[in-house]
Amino acid sequence: MASMLSSLSFVICVLCFLASTPQAAPATAPFLFPEAQSTILPDPSTFFAPNLLSSPLPTSSFFQNFVLHNGDQPEYIHPYIIRSANSSLSFAYPSFSYTSTVVSTSPFEADLTIFASKSNNKGHHVVSDFNDLSVTLDFPSSNLRFYLVRGSPFLTCFVYRPTAVSLSTDHKIVSATSASGSNTKFIVKLDNDQTWLVYTSSPTELTDSGSSMLTLKDFSGVVRFALMPDPDPKSEGILDHFSSCYPVSGAAVLENSNTLSYKFEKIGGDLLMLAHPLHLKLLSSATVLQDFKYKSIDGDLIGVVGDSWVLAPKPIPVTWNSVGGVKKDSFPEIISALRRDVDALSSTQSTTSSSYFYGKLVARAARLALIAEEVAFPDAIPVIRTFLREKIEPWLDGTFSGNGFLHDKKWGGLVTKSSTADPGADFGFGLYSDHHFHLGYFIYGISVLAKIDPAWGEKYKPQAYSLVEDFLNKDKQSNPNYPRLRTFDLYKLHSWAGGLTEFANGRNQESTSEAVNAYYAASLMGKAYNDAQLEATGSLLTTLEIQAAQMWWHVREGGESQIYEQDFAKENRVVGILWATKRDSGLWFATAEAREIRLGIQVLPVLPVTEVLFSDAGFASELVNWALPALSRTGVTEGWKGFVFALQGMFNKEGTLEKIRSLKEFDDGNSLSNLLWWIHSR
């Protein structure tokens, strides 16, 4: 009995100790904004396999056209443009047209179309799997599965039951022969001077079914198709050598702030893939076949051997303030401007309910706080802090009467109240357009406020993370309510802005600088919350977005980029809208003649990271000299002039200062204080 009481006393003591000792709190679920009831979003169940519907789905991906409307608009899966329609898959190796205003691929004509001979042509494809670098399309009624892996010179089809598989073309078949009688390799020549190689995993017959059709009789196994990129026998030999190894998927791994790795899942021996020019610039070590290349709108695609790549961009400084600092003798002028800009905050009325323009309003005020810190003007901080609290909190706690954030369960992401019924509201935010643009501005403001008011930052941290993870969710383990990296393309290494809208030219993006702002702001949020992973991820994507902008949006004189032909390069210093299969000199909201706007939309907002985006002063000079004549046009606003002058200040500081001092109006995300800070920190 005494022993029993002793044991009971011990248990009671332990329980009392546990009750009085602080225990680790259970992990809290990520914050969710109220559920949206959208009437404009498409139904994802039409094209995604049922097992994929329980998780958030991509809304700005490289294969987005495959899951919208009829799913029959093409997508560019390098090096081929691929279209799925009527239970068949068509692909074309594109040619390109160049003018002084547009670079584009030729209208889609199927070089080859693959389908089951006895299919009723009424079914459609199903996305059964997808990853950063790949998508798998199944045709259940046809026994066909296509592994579409980006950068593969082969298109791979798995026929999983004995099926008669037909090959047709929009051209005429000149000849179709078995190579050396092997019956596992066939050479198909078309009347457009193309030669296609067809490889099968087991011997079969390829029979002629007419001038534009061939058939593999009752075949099961793997069929691979590859265009001969040139007539050199060495190229054919390379394709022969690597034809037996095929990738089934590809994933990207964000290692740290300066390493991105590709991991391809393959079947077979050595894997042959293709790298675009930015890949080649960043590859740290790889076996590169320099003479094996395909053409693309993004530049030559070069052969790389290996199922694992390491891309190592040079890290850039992600700082709150200018890298070089502001000289003290310029403090008085900046402080004088700050006094006026900060005083004006108290009278600023929120005349907009647009998530985009409201975000710019918030970010503009946040810039004033950081400038005040940098020029030792602490008296400005309390007013700015109060302003930011009053403007940001209603969007985070749902009390803003004109609009607000909601959570859409169907695709997994944020929409705004205004955009749940109107596809044009908030620039298509309700269809997942421009999420990184809008939210990037809010996140910048939130990050600065969390820096100058840590207690406020902790209070609203769940909502802040819900905003940033909408487009910068590293993986579903971080936040299961959002897809992985909504807007960033880990093959192209830049963002897309198109959302759930079907476009004949695929995804698109206009403003690279606003994309840079989004990832830069996310990195700053990591700094504000001492979150090393968020800071590193934001920093890496900032770096890649900048390098992609410099590669594909910035058009240097003399064709130095070697991406654009002379006609286009001569007339343009920046691309207006970059599409998957087109480069346009015009903008969504301005013509190509508005060069000051074309420059400005690739510069705004002016931030410390802007000096990295435009680190080449020589190119900045080219761009400014190209845009300056446009300022004499009727109707040019001073807001857009400010961005031209900002870049001009990189190489003509004193002359530009006078122009900036004379400005009476500024872009709604800019200010006199910000432009003076920029010029004086050059």
Side-chain angles (χ1 to χ4, degrees):
M1 183 71 174
S3 175
M4 185 183 298
L5 289 173
S6 176
S7 299
L8 183 59
S9 298
F10 173 77
V11 171
I12 292 172
C13 288
V14 169
L15 291 174
C16 290
F17 172 78
L18 291 174
S20 62
T21 302
Q23 301 296 301
T28 57
F31 176 85
L32 274 178
F33 285 93
E35 186 174 348
Q37 301 298 326
S38 174
T39 60
I40 64 171
L41 285 168
D43 182 0
S45 67
T46 304
F47 291 105
F48 285 100
N51 65 298
L52 299 177
L53 295 173
S54 60
S55 297
L57 297 167
T59 59
S60 291
S61 78
F62 66 96
F63 63 87
Q64 208 67 55
N65 275 348
F66 292 164
V67 297
L68 298 174
H69 296 288
N70 297 321
D72 58 0
Q73 287 292 332
E75 288 285 15
Y76 196 5
I77 300 181
H78 296 64
Y80 307 116
I81 297 179
I82 295 175
R83 180 174 183 259
S84 174
N86 301 321
S87 294
S88 66
L89 194 87
S90 301
F91 45 101
Y93 180 59
S95 58
F96 309 99
S97 63
Y98 303 87
T99 70
S100 61
T101 58
V102 176
V103 178
S104 64
T105 57
S106 52
F108 184 84
E109 286 187 289
D111 294 329
L112 289 179
T113 296
I114 315 303
F115 59 97
S117 306
K118 297 180 181 179
S119 172
N120 58 19
N121 292 331
K122 292 184 179 180
H124 62 71
H125 63 259
V126 173
V127 173
S128 61
D129 193 20
F130 63 87
N131 212 321
D132 306 313
L133 310 174
S134 60
V135 60
T136 302
L137 298 187
D138 282 357
F139 293 82
S141 63
S142 304
N143 303 325
L144 303 180
R145 168 174 292 173
F146 292 90
Y147 298 111
L148 306 180
V149 184
R150 307 174 78 184
S152 174
F154 300 90
L155 189 139
T156 304
C157 175
F158 174 50
V159 188
Y160 46 88
R161 291 190 186 91
T163 302
V165 179
S166 292
L167 287 65
S168 68
T169 176
D170 286 350
H171 309 290
K172 182 178 180 181
I173 298 173
V174 175
S175 64
T177 58
S178 173
S180 304
S182 66
N183 287 336
T184 57
K185 175 188 173 184
F186 303 90
I187 302 172
V188 179
K189 295 182 180 293
L190 306 180
D191 67 351
N192 63 349
D193 295 326
Q194 288 182 350
T195 298
W196 289 83
L197 305 179
V198 182
Y199 301 91
T200 59
S201 57
S202 60
T204 186
E205 294 182 21
L206 186 64
T207 59
D208 189 344
S209 303
S211 64
S212 296
M213 186 168 308
L214 302 167
T215 300
L216 294 168
K217 291 186 176 179
D218 295 328
F219 179 80
S220 65
V222 174
V223 190
R224 308 196 76 197
F225 308 88
L227 176 85
M228 278 276 290
D230 56 60
D232 191 337
K234 291 181 180 178
S235 296
E236 183 175 357
I238 290 171
L239 290 168
D240 287 350
H241 180 76
F242 293 100
S243 62
S244 60
C245 176
Y246 61 94
V248 296
S249 69
V253 182
L254 286 74
E255 308 274 1
N256 49 50
S257 62
N258 60 353
T259 304
L260 171 66
S261 298
Y262 289 174
K263 309 289 184 184
F264 295 102
E265 182 183 347
K266 64 172 184 175
I267 295 176
D270 293 331
L271 181 65
L272 173 66
M273 300 297 288
L274 300 171
H276 60 55
L278 188 50
H279 286 144
L280 295 170
K281 182 178 179 181
L282 302 178
L283 272 172
S284 64
S285 61
T287 301
V288 179
L289 308 180
Q290 292 288 0
D291 295 328
F292 182 77
K293 63 182 67 176
Y294 287 75
K295 297 290 185 184
S296 90
I297 199 168
D298 299 301
D300 286 346
L301 306 174
I302 308 298
V304 174
V305 180
D307 54 21
S308 180
W309 297 10
V310 176
L311 307 177
K314 184 179 179 181
I316 64 167
V318 174
T319 60
W320 293 102
N321 303 118
S322 59
V323 175
V326 179
K327 291 183 179 180
K328 288 190 175 181
D329 60 5
S330 62
F331 281 14
E333 181 178 20
I334 298 173
I335 290 173
S336 176
L338 272 172
R339 289 184 189 277
R340 295 193 297 274
D341 286 335
V342 173
D343 286 346
L345 291 179
S346 60
S347 61
T348 299
Q349 298 298 316
S350 301
T351 58
T352 180
S353 61
S354 159
S355 55
Y356 175 74
F357 292 113
Y358 199 104
K360 291 182 74 175
L361 175 77
V362 164
R364 176 187 179 276
R367 284 292 310 131
L368 299 179
L370 294 182
I371 294 168
E373 282 188 346
E374 193 165 355
V375 299
F377 184 45
D379 291 352
I381 302 296
V383 176
I384 301 169
R385 182 170 58 234
T386 299
F387 178 86
L388 289 174
R389 284 175 176 172
E390 292 176 350
K391 297 303 179 187
I392 295 173
E393 284 180 15
W395 283 80
L396 300 185
D397 61 23
T399 59
F400 182 62
S401 61
N403 205 348
F405 294 120
L406 301 172
H407 184 263
D408 158 51
K409 280 187 174 181
K410 188 179 290 187
W411 290 85
L414 295 180
V415 296
T416 57
K417 292 177 184 177
S418 299
S419 64
T420 55
D422 180 359
D426 292 330
F427 297 101
F429 195 91
L431 287 173
Y432 289 99
S433 297
D434 299 354
H435 271 217
H436 54 324
F437 295 164
H438 298 223
L439 297 175
Y441 284 115
F442 274 96
I443 290 162
Y444 186 86
I446 291 169
S447 301
V448 172
L449 184 50
K451 177 182 187 293
I452 62 178
D453 190 346
W456 183 94
E458 284 303 312
K459 179 180 179 181
Y460 286 98
K461 184 177 180 179
Q463 292 94 324
Y465 269 71
S466 191
L467 293 190
V468 76
E469 288 171 346
D470 173 79
F471 70 89
L472 193 67
N473 194 28
K474 190 175 180 181
D475 52 54
K476 292 176 184 176
Q477 286 69 41
S478 299
N479 191 327
N481 302 304
Y482 300 125
R484 171 171 159 87
L485 299 182
R486 182 184 306 282
T487 52
F488 196 85
D489 185 325
L490 286 161
Y491 180 81
K492 277 300 302 295
L493 305 179
H494 64 72
S495 300
W496 298 115
L500 297 178
T501 302
E502 185 183 57
F503 294 109
N505 293 108
R507 301 303 93 200
N508 69 83
Q509 179 165 267
E510 187 174 56
S511 177
T512 56
S513 51
E514 288 181 299
V516 168
N517 171 66
Y519 303 117
Y520 169 70
S523 189
L524 292 182
M525 182 175 281
K527 284 182 179 292
Y529 286 117
N530 295 312
D531 183 338
Q533 183 180 92
L534 177 58
E535 182 178 353
T537 303
S539 175
L540 176 59
L541 298 190
T542 301
T543 302
L544 294 171
E545 193 81 45
I546 285 174
Q547 296 206 12
Q550 293 169 343
M551 174 73 69
W552 288 300
W553 273 263
H554 297 180
V555 185
R556 288 162 174 79
E557 289 182 1
E560 291 178 22
S561 64
Q562 298 180 341
I563 299 294
Y564 298 112
E565 293 291 326
Q566 185 61 33
D567 285 350
F568 188 81
K570 182 180 178 181
E571 295 297 324
N572 299 279
R573 294 283 73 79
V574 286
V575 170
I577 303 172
L578 186 143
W579 301 77
T581 61
K582 184 171 71 169
R583 309 295 187 252
D584 201 334
S585 56
L587 302 171
W588 288 112
F589 63 102
T591 64
E593 289 72 30
R595 292 183 174 185
E596 79 287 353
I597 301 181
R598 291 170 61 189
L599 177 150
I601 202 65
Q602 305 299 344
V603 174
L604 63 84
V606 177
L607 302 163
V609 76
T610 305
E611 58 187 304
V612 184
L613 179 58
F614 291 95
S615 56
D616 183 349
F619 173 67
S621 176
E622 292 178 14
L623 184 53
V624 169
N625 291 335
W626 170 82
L628 277 174
L631 299 188
S632 61
R633 290 168 32 257
T634 302
V636 174
T637 65
E638 291 200 335
W640 291 111
K641 288 181 180 180
F643 298 115
V644 179
F645 298 157
L647 283 197
Q648 191 174 27
M650 295 181 64
F651 55 89
N652 183 8
K653 178 177 177 180
E654 294 305 319
T656 307
L657 262 175
E658 292 307 313
K659 295 180 179 180
I660 286 173
R661 288 166 179 154
S662 68
L663 291 174
K664 298 294 187 289
E665 296 177 354
F666 302 90
D667 176 74
D668 48 6
N670 203 5
S671 64
L672 177 60
S673 298
N674 197 40
L675 286 179
L676 290 174
W677 160 84
W678 169 261
I679 296 298
H680 286 303
S681 62
R682 293 309 86 220

